[in-house]
Every structure is written in structure tokens, then in C-alpha cells.
């Protein structure tokens, strides 16, 4: 059985659907995801499983009893697999467990689902930096990973970039942007129907109906550069919700070809760099002198490491670790290696600054 092959059934839902042409006693395996939809229990002998990594297994049973037996057995198998995973992870990775607890307990708003206010949400949208309940996570997954990258807080792997984004955003900050103006529409509660929740979630993230008014005084790319330079996460969330690929890769100026990602790397800001990469920042871009983001990140890491050596402070330690993780992140995404480059790490203070001193 395919179920034990991955963690991808964390939010596994099994859907039974009505089918006019039941292929009795025949099971097919296809590629696609787990879905929970309404079904007609009288006629449907068909069901399918959709995983988090978007694989789908499609089954036909010969009658409803056989189908229900299969569904129950598969659900139990998923549950067993998850419980096994959870307990083994809790034992082997206490640091990660503590990090997850910090995201849940210390980030403002994270005690309740970002979309329906259900208590103790266990699911995350990585790129949105929010926590949500299991039902809302299923709806998010249906939006597609270009809108929301859903992960389990307790079961998935949590590399430093993902953690940094979750710590930098959180439900309160995210909703100050995504629910800035809800136009008197009523937000669903924990007891609302799935349909109500889905309507809200699609209006919020897919149609972007509740975002703050657009600032028309400055091109979006330049707004992004300003926000990154100021480490203004709220502004970055807002701008990224509206930018296209070209705007994400805007340069500081015609002669200063640093992009927002270069600037985030110069500051050693792992969370912002990760957000930009998820929003299609070009990790292979180079500045006017051919320097890659990796060169900037390495320079920032050296500065942070030196500072830690001289001060031995906790903040300097965190900063050094974060910068190192940023270097690793860029390598993971294929940012080219560079050598023999000296960068002092100056960043522009204002939009359009032509200060290219590095
Ligand atoms: Zn919810």
C-alpha cells in the first residue's frame, strides 16, 4: 500500500464520489492529491486520496460496504503513520520541537486559525507566514502552492528559512494586511461551514479583496526595495501580494543593479530573502559588478561572525547563525558560487539611491 511512503498524508482526506460506471474490484493508481468533497453515500463506490505533494490515488470498490471498509482502513493507516512520525520526531529533534512551540505560542495571533479563528491551529502556510486549522489548510491547499504552501507544524521538516518566515510574520501581522479592509463582510468562525470558509479564503488570498489601498505614488518594484531596506515586513507582505516577477526583480537604479534579493542578502535577512525567493526572485541575478546574492550573503555572514566573536552576545549569535543559514539557502536554490569579492554591505537608505559603494 502506498500510504506509508511519505508524510504527505498529514492532512489526508478521503473523498467518495458518485460514479455512474463503477469498475468493480478494480483499483487504479494515478498521480494527483487527497480531497474532501461532498459525496452521495447512496451510489458512490469510488474514492480517492490526495497527498500534500499532489499525488492522487483513485480507487473503485465493488460496493459501498467494500468502499467504506477500504476508507476506514486507509484512514487508520494514515493516522498510525502520522502518530508514529510525531512521536519519533518529538524524541529525536527537541530543538525543532521547541522552535515549533515558539511559532505557535510566541508569535502574535498564532493561537487561533488565521481564517476562521479556531483554537490551536496545527497547520502553516509557509509563504503567508500564518497558522491555520486543518479544515482551512485543506482549502488553502486547493488554492495551489503559488498562493499558499501548506505544511504541518508537527510533522513536516522545518528548515531555517521556513522558520524565519513564520517567526517574522504570524497571524496578526498577516491579517493586518490580508484583512485590512473587509468591507463589512463577516469573517467565518470555527463552526462556520466549509463553504463559508472557502468563500472567505478565496476572497482573501485568491481575489485579494481585503488588501490595503494601493500606493500609486511609486512603482511597486521601488516600493519593494524601500520595504526590504527598511526590513518592513508588513509592507513587504503587501507589496509582494501585488507584484509580478519583473517587479520582484527590480533593480535599485539603472546603474545600481542590485535587486531586492541582493539587498536582503546584504542585510543577512533570512526571512525576507526566503519570501522573495518564494515570490520568484531570481537567485542567479548579478549586480553591476557581476556579484551574486551569495556574495552578499557571505559578506553579511562574515560580518556577523566577526561581531559574534568580538561581543559573544546572544543577538550576535542569532545573527551569525541566521546569516549562515541564508548562505545555505542560496546554495540550495542554485545561486552561483563566487570568489575573491570584497563587499562592505552598504545598502541604500532611500528609493533610487545611486550610492553603489559596496
Ligand atoms: Zn480555520
Amino acid at each position: 500500500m502506498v500510504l506509508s511512503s511519505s508524510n504527505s498524508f498529514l492532512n489526508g482526506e478521503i473523498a467518495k464520489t458518485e460514479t455512474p460506471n463503477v469498475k468493480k474490484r478494480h483499483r487504479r493508481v494515478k498521480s494527483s492529491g487527497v480531497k474532501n468533497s461532498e459525496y452521495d453515500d447512496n451510489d458512490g463506490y469510488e474514492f480517492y486520496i490526495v497527498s500534500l505533494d499532489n499525488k492522487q490515488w483513485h480507487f473503485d470498490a465493488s460496493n459501498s460496504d467494500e468502499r467504506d471498509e477500504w476508507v476506514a482502513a486507509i484512514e487508520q493507516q494514515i493516522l498510525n503513520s502520522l502518530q508514529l512520525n510525531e512521536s519519533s520526531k518529538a524524541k529525536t529533534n527537541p530543538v525543532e520541537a521547541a522552535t515549533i512551540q515558539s511559532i505557535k505560542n510566541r508569535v502574535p495571533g498564532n493561537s487561533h486559525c488565521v481564517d476562521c479563528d479556531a483554537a490551536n491551529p496545527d497547520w502553516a502556510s509557509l509563504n503567508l507566514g500564518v497558522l491555520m486549522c486543518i479544515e482551512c489548510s485543506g482549502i488553502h491547499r486547493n488554492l495551489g502552492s503559488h498562493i499558499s504552501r501548506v505544511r504541518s507544524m508537527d510533522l513536516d521538516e522545518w528548515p531555517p528559512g521556513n522558520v524565519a518566515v513564520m517567526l517574522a510574520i504570524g497571524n496578526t501581522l498577516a491579517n493586518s494586511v490580508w484583512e485590512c479592509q473587509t468591507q463589512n463582510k463577516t469573517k467565518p468562525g470555527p463552526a462556520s461551514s466549509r463553504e463559508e470558509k472557502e468563500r472567505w479564503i478565496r476572497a482573501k488570498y485568491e481575489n485579494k479583496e481585503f488588501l490595503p489601498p494601493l500606493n500609486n505614488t511609486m512603482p511597486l518594484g521601488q516600493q519593494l526595495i524601500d520595504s526590504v531596506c527598511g526590513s518592513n515586513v508588513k509592507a513587504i507582505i503587501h507589496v509582494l501580494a501585488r507584484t509580478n516577477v519583473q517587479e520582484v526583480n527590480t533593480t535599485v537604479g539603472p546603474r545600481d543593479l542590485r535587486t531586492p534579493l541582493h539587498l536582503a542578502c546584504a542585510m543577512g535577512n533570512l526571512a525576507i530573502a526566503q519570501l522573495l525567493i518564494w515570490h520568484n526572485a531570481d537567485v542567479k541575478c548579478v549586480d553591476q559588478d557581476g556579484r551574486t546574492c551569495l556574495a552578499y550573503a557571505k559578506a553579511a555572514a562574515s560580518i556577523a561572525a566577526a561581531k559574534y566573536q568580538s561581543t559573544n552576545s546572544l543577538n550576535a549569535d542569532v545573527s551569525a547563525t541566521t546569516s549562515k543559514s541564508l548562505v545555505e539557502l542560496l546554495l540550495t536554490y542554485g545561486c552561483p558560487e563566487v570568489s575573491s569579492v570584497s563587499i562592505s554591505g552598504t545598502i541604500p537608505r532611500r528609493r533610487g539611491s545611486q550610492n553603489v559603494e559596496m
Side-chain angles (χ1 to χ4, degrees), residues 11 123-124 132-142 150 201:
N11 194 14
W123 291 80
M132 60 199 142
C133 69
I134 188 165
E135 186 169 39
C136 291
S137 79
I139 299 167
H140 272 247
R141 194 169 301 109
N142 289 339
V150 178
I201 288 168

Side-chain angles (χ1 to χ4, degrees), residues 14 57 116 126-127 134 149 216 267 273 316 322 327 346:
I14 299 175
W57 290 264
C116 78
L126 297 180
N127 55 313
I134 188 165
R149 295 166 179 255
N216 288 319
M267 296 186 293
T322 303
V327 168
T346 304

Side-chain angles (χ1 to χ4, degrees), residues 86 89 101 116 121 137 161 205 221 233 241 324 339:
E86 193 160 31
K89 177 161 275 190
Q101 282 309 308
C116 78
S137 79
Y205 304 107
V233 176
K324 205 171 147 214
S339 58

Side-chain angles (χ1 to χ4, degrees), residues 3-289:
L3 297 178
S4 59
S5 63
S6 78
N7 288 347
S8 54
F9 291 96
L10 302 179
N11 194 14
E13 298 163 301
I14 299 175
K16 303 176 219 173
T17 56
E18 184 177 344
T19 173
N21 296 310
V22 177
K23 296 187 177 176
K24 294 184 180 181
R25 312 182 75 80
H26 175 63
R27 292 189 293 277
R28 299 192 302 269
V29 179
K30 278 190 192 173
S31 189
S32 172
V34 183
K35 216 173 193 179
N36 188 3
S37 63
E38 300 301 314
Y39 62 90
D40 183 340
D41 206 32
N42 296 326
D43 303 318
Y45 305 146
E46 188 176 337
F47 62 96
Y48 52 97
I49 307 170
V50 184
S51 69
L52 288 180
D53 53 358
N54 208 29
K55 288 178 181 152
Q56 182 166 305
W57 290 264
H58 182 187
F59 300 80
D60 288 335
S62 58
N63 57 56
S64 61
D65 287 345
E66 186 189 72
R67 181 202 59 200
D68 291 345
E69 277 178 33
W70 271 102
V71 169
I74 292 168
E75 283 178 335
Q76 189 58 49
Q77 180 62 41
I78 291 171
L79 190 63
N80 291 347
S81 177
L82 296 187
Q83 285 171 340
L84 187 67
N85 240 306
E86 193 160 31
S87 59
S88 64
K89 177 161 275 190
K91 278 180 205 159
T92 58
N93 200 338
V95 174
E96 190 166 282
T99 304
I100 295 306
Q101 282 309 308
S102 295
I103 293 171
K104 286 181 178 178
N105 300 332
R106 294 192 184 174
V107 180
N110 282 6
S111 57
H112 290 78
C113 173
V114 70
D115 293 321
C116 78
D117 219 30
N120 303 316
D122 277 330
W123 291 80
S125 169
L126 297 180
N127 55 313
L128 297 172
V130 299
L131 293 191
M132 60 199 142
C133 69
I134 188 165
E135 186 169 39
C136 291
S137 79
I139 299 167
H140 272 247
R141 194 169 301 109
N142 289 339
L143 299 177
S145 60
H146 62 294
I147 295 178
S148 186
R149 295 166 179 255
V150 178
R151 293 288 185 278
S152 164
M153 289 303 291
D154 296 319
L155 299 161
D156 284 319
E157 295 295 320
W158 282 86
N162 296 8
V163 170
V165 172
M166 296 304 298
L167 290 172
I169 302 182
N171 292 2
T172 298
L173 181 61
N175 275 344
S176 73
V177 177
W178 291 101
E179 293 181 0
C180 176
Q181 39 184 11
T182 52
Q183 304 149 22
N184 297 324
K185 289 189 178 170
T186 306
K187 183 171 180 170
S192 299
S193 69
R194 184 183 171 98
E195 287 68 31
E196 284 176 273
K197 292 177 184 176
E198 178 158 3
R199 263 198 302 280
W200 179 264
I201 288 168
R202 287 193 182 276
K204 184 174 169 182
Y205 304 107
E206 194 171 56
N207 301 330
K208 303 174 183 177
E209 291 177 17
F210 312 141
L211 289 178
L214 193 58
N215 172 1
N216 288 319
T217 61
M218 193 189 293
L220 277 173
Q222 291 301 328
Q223 288 183 42
L224 182 59
I225 285 171
D226 271 8
S227 316
V228 170
C229 289
S231 301
N232 184 340
V233 176
K234 180 175 176 177
I236 290 170
I237 296 168
H238 180 206
V239 175
L240 285 178
R242 297 184 182 275
T243 46
N244 59 33
V245 178
Q246 285 72 33
E247 287 158 341
V248 167
N249 291 295
T250 300
T251 58
V252 172
R255 287 181 294 170
D256 181 349
L257 302 186
R258 288 175 296 169
T259 63
L261 185 56
H262 276 113
L263 301 172
C265 292
M267 296 186 293
N269 195 317
L270 177 60
I272 294 177
Q274 177 69 83
L275 274 175
L276 290 168
I277 290 171
W278 280 332
H279 283 83
N280 301 312
D282 179 8
V283 292
K284 296 183 177 172
C285 58
V286 294
D287 71 3
Q288 64 285 351
D289 297 317

